[in-house]
Amino acid sequence: MSVQNGIDDRDVARSSYDKIWTLPNIISFARLCLIPLYLVLLMGGHDIWATIIYAVAALTDFVDGQVARRTNSVSRLGTLMDPAIDTLLMITGVLGVFIVGRIPLWVVVIIFARELFLLIGGAILLKGFHIQIPVIYPGKVATTLLFFGFSGLLLFMPSFAGPSWTDAAWLVGFDSSVTSWGIYFVYLGLILQIIVTLYYCVQAVIKLKQKRRTDFSSQGGA
């Protein structure tokens, strides 16, 4: 810690943390604005432009975070917006692909259920026990795989018939129906997301046990 011209470093950091119009936040706002534009283009039948807009919004997922860390401009708003926008992109992405008929319903259900589970579970841990489970890198990789897969399914080029390994119509990409390479990235992303979610659950249990021991010790073992 240092004090220059009567200004404490902690005051500077706190001021930066409370700022709204930082470069990372502007990037996040731009990503947020691209979501309705993507939906309008998709519903209008402009698949290629919808894919481009969605891909830009998805691929800039790392940009705002990297800019925030490299410029030391992490803010309270940014820490809330980034995961919220990722969730919106996830939901609108899978819904868009489902609406155009290129993904089975069970994929939508799993993604919705996971997002809802993490949202409710995270809120309970934070508000009820003051516990926060940090996002791990494989979670970001899983999200990127899904975003990439959705983009491929939206573009739907090249499209090809599946290998006919099964007659189950719900296993798109392994039956004989026409699909795109994006479906395989979606499956990989789903598998990794499930693994990451299990990891979060284990970490939540560990932290709850640690908090219980800490609270017990602070009360003198009474």
Side-chain angles (χ1 to χ4, degrees):
M1 181 186 72
S2 64
V3 178
Q4 294 183 353
N5 298 324
I7 301 176
D8 194 313
D9 285 347
R10 289 177 298 184
D11 293 332
V12 174
R14 190 179 302 111
S15 175
S16 299
Y17 189 67
D18 291 332
K19 284 184 178 178
I20 295 177
W21 295 111
T22 63
L23 180 56
N25 287 352
I26 292 172
I27 295 173
S28 294
F29 278 124
R31 294 179 66 221
L32 183 61
C33 292
L34 290 178
I35 295 175
L37 178 58
Y38 147 73
L39 289 173
V40 169
L41 290 170
L42 184 65
M43 296 301 101
H46 305 288
D47 287 9
I48 294 179
W49 280 109
T51 303
I52 292 172
I53 294 299
Y54 185 81
V56 170
L59 293 176
T60 50
D61 178 30
F62 288 101
V63 175
D64 50 3
Q66 286 295 321
V67 170
R69 284 186 287 272
R70 292 178 184 274
T71 60
N72 196 27
S73 54
V74 176
S75 66
R76 188 192 311 275
L77 180 62
T79 57
L80 295 174
M81 282 184 63
D82 189 49
I85 292 173
D86 284 349
T87 299
L88 282 174
L89 272 172
M90 185 72 66
I91 292 173
T92 55
V94 72
L95 274 180
V97 177
F98 176 72
I99 288 171
V100 295
R102 295 169 190 169
I103 207 168
L105 178 60
W106 65 268
V107 173
V108 182
V109 172
I110 289 178
I111 288 177
F112 265 74
R114 178 187 181 271
E115 295 297 330
L116 188 62
F117 173 74
L118 291 180
L119 179 65
I120 296 175
I124 292 173
L125 286 174
L126 187 60
K127 292 184 178 180
F129 303 95
H130 304 289
I131 293 174
Q132 187 171 13
I133 309 298
V135 176
I136 59 174
Y137 184 73
K140 281 289 188 181
V141 173
T143 300
T144 301
L145 286 171
L146 286 169
F147 286 163
F148 197 50
F150 295 155
S151 298
L153 288 169
L154 287 168
L155 186 61
F156 216 61
M157 291 190 301
S159 57
F160 52 84
S164 301
W165 290 348
T166 178
D167 293 329
W170 55 274
L171 274 177
V172 178
F174 298 102
D175 62 354
S176 59
S177 63
V178 177
T179 187
S180 164
W181 52 268
I183 192 66
Y184 303 111
F185 283 90
V186 170
Y187 289 151
L188 285 173
L190 276 179
I191 293 170
L192 188 52
Q193 270 202 339
I194 292 171
I195 294 172
V196 169
T197 303
L198 291 174
Y199 169 84
Y200 288 154
C201 291
V202 171
Q203 289 299 305
V205 171
I206 291 173
K207 287 182 178 294
L208 283 170
K209 288 182 177 179
Q210 290 174 344
K211 180 173 177 56
R212 183 175 298 176
R213 286 195 297 267
T214 302
D215 291 345
F216 185 76
S217 299
S218 65
Q219 294 171 6

